[in-house]
Amino acid sequence: MGFEDHEFETKKIILSTHHGVDFQVKLYNAQSVTHFGCKNWEALCKMFGLDEGMLVTMDLGDPTIEQERPSMWVLVDTPPILPPSYFHSSKNVRKMVDRTYYTEGSELTYQEKNHLVGFCTDLENYNIYNQTPQHYGQYVPLVHVLNYGNYHGDTLIIPNDCVPHLMYTHGSLHVLNIQPGRPTNLNCPYRVSKRSGDITIKEWKKCMDSRKELLGSNKQLRARIGDMMIAILHNGESGSVLFYAILP
């Protein structure tokens, strides 16, 4: 890597993966140890879910070939769990993505998580632009596959993990799709279960029948059983709002 015979030296090198992702990180070299550091190294570990104790293969290349910029390949067998867009988003958006609750069968690939990052970013921008009153607690995004277990009759069930604190046990909430175009703002009655803490939203069929653009697409469709949705429940001084969007 071209290190000199110094007691301690630092170089900036490029770590590349076969997934087409490059990270510029700091490599610290001393007589007894060589290690990586800096936020970009932490980001690479988070992107691939690398934990302490895991083995990672590094390809240093041919030492006889001079490189314009020092680089090495990181050979990771597992696919990324987070997209690059996650690391370019705001700290608030990253926290939302990290807290996301996935119901059974709704796990997203790292490419699909671009939609999740985009949805959280749209919500953040919406709140800033509209000066939305403060939310009680933290946003917990929900990734939900619409099926007959959570949508039946005319009701939709949201698990208690995503229900904000201090919500009234029953009332009315706004159901808002903030995708491009004119936002769809509907009102639906709801009730929070005393037993499970889940929230049941009534009159959901009118939300299913509302044609809106899909996340990351210009196509407008009605929601159907089997579709995947992303939703965030907001509860604040202005009342309760369910922000949602349908994935393509």
Side-chain angles (χ1 to χ4, degrees):
M1 302 298 297
F3 283 106
E4 303 293 337
D5 189 17
H6 297 310
E7 183 176 342
F8 187 84
E9 189 176 357
T10 303
K11 278 184 177 291
K12 290 184 178 180
I13 68 168
I14 303 297
L15 294 182
S16 302
T17 75
H18 61 274
H19 302 92
V21 180
D22 295 333
F23 285 86
Q24 180 174 273
V25 302
K26 291 181 180 179
L27 180 61
Y28 301 92
N29 184 62
Q31 291 182 355
S32 59
V33 65
T34 299
H35 66 93
F36 298 102
C38 78
K39 291 184 177 180
N40 280 352
W41 169 250
E42 295 175 4
L44 185 144
C45 292
K46 189 169 186 177
M47 184 177 192
F48 288 93
L50 304 180
D51 295 320
E52 186 175 350
M54 295 178 66
L55 297 178
V56 179
T57 302
M58 300 286 188
D59 183 358
L60 303 182
D62 189 343
T64 63
I65 299 177
E66 187 174 346
Q67 298 176 320
E68 289 187 13
R69 57 177 186 172
S71 62
M72 65 175 65
W73 285 90
V74 184
L75 307 180
V76 185
D77 294 331
T78 57
I81 60 175
L82 289 168
S85 61
Y86 169 89
F87 301 97
H88 297 297
S89 62
S90 70
K91 183 177 181 180
N92 183 46
V93 167
R94 294 197 299 272
K95 285 183 177 180
M96 282 193 275
V97 172
D98 291 343
R99 287 193 295 264
T100 299
Y101 182 86
Y102 298 89
T103 55
E104 185 177 355
S106 65
E107 292 78 11
L108 300 176
T109 65
Y110 84 98
Q111 293 102 330
E112 291 172 334
K113 285 182 181 177
N114 282 307
H115 297 307
L116 175 59
V117 173
F119 177 79
C120 294
T121 301
D122 288 344
L123 176 56
E124 180 181 57
N125 293 335
Y126 175 89
N127 286 339
I128 293 172
Y129 180 80
N130 291 280
Q131 298 181 337
T132 306
Q134 187 174 357
H135 171 66
Y136 300 146
Q138 297 178 327
Y139 282 145
V140 180
L142 167 68
V143 180
H144 214 27
V145 175
L146 295 171
N147 56 48
Y148 292 111
N150 53 54
Y151 171 63
H152 53 86
D154 196 18
T155 63
L156 177 74
I157 298 175
I158 302 291
N160 69 316
D161 299 80
C162 304
V163 178
H165 296 297
L166 304 178
M167 279 197 73
Y168 291 114
T169 55
H170 62 278
S172 178
L173 55 77
H174 298 291
V175 179
L176 182 60
N177 189 316
I178 56 175
Q179 282 304 101
R182 187 174 182 179
T184 300
N185 189 355
L186 302 170
N187 290 311
C188 293
Y190 75 87
R191 180 174 294 276
V192 178
S193 169
K194 294 181 180 179
R195 183 176 180 180
S196 66
D198 296 346
I199 186 171
T200 299
I201 302 174
K202 301 178 181 179
E203 301 179 12
W204 184 255
K205 187 177 184 301
K206 60 187 177 185
C207 304
M208 296 281 284
D209 291 340
S210 175
R211 293 176 63 90
K212 285 301 297 179
E213 291 184 7
L214 306 180
L215 271 173
S217 171
N218 293 325
K219 186 182 295 184
Q220 293 191 6
L221 292 174
R222 293 183 177 91
R224 298 170 296 179
I225 292 295
D227 284 346
M228 190 176 293
M229 67 176 286
I230 298 175
I232 291 179
L233 262 172
H234 170 97
N235 184 46
E237 295 178 4
S238 59
S240 300
V241 183
L242 178 71
F243 297 98
Y244 82 102
I246 303 298
L247 273 73

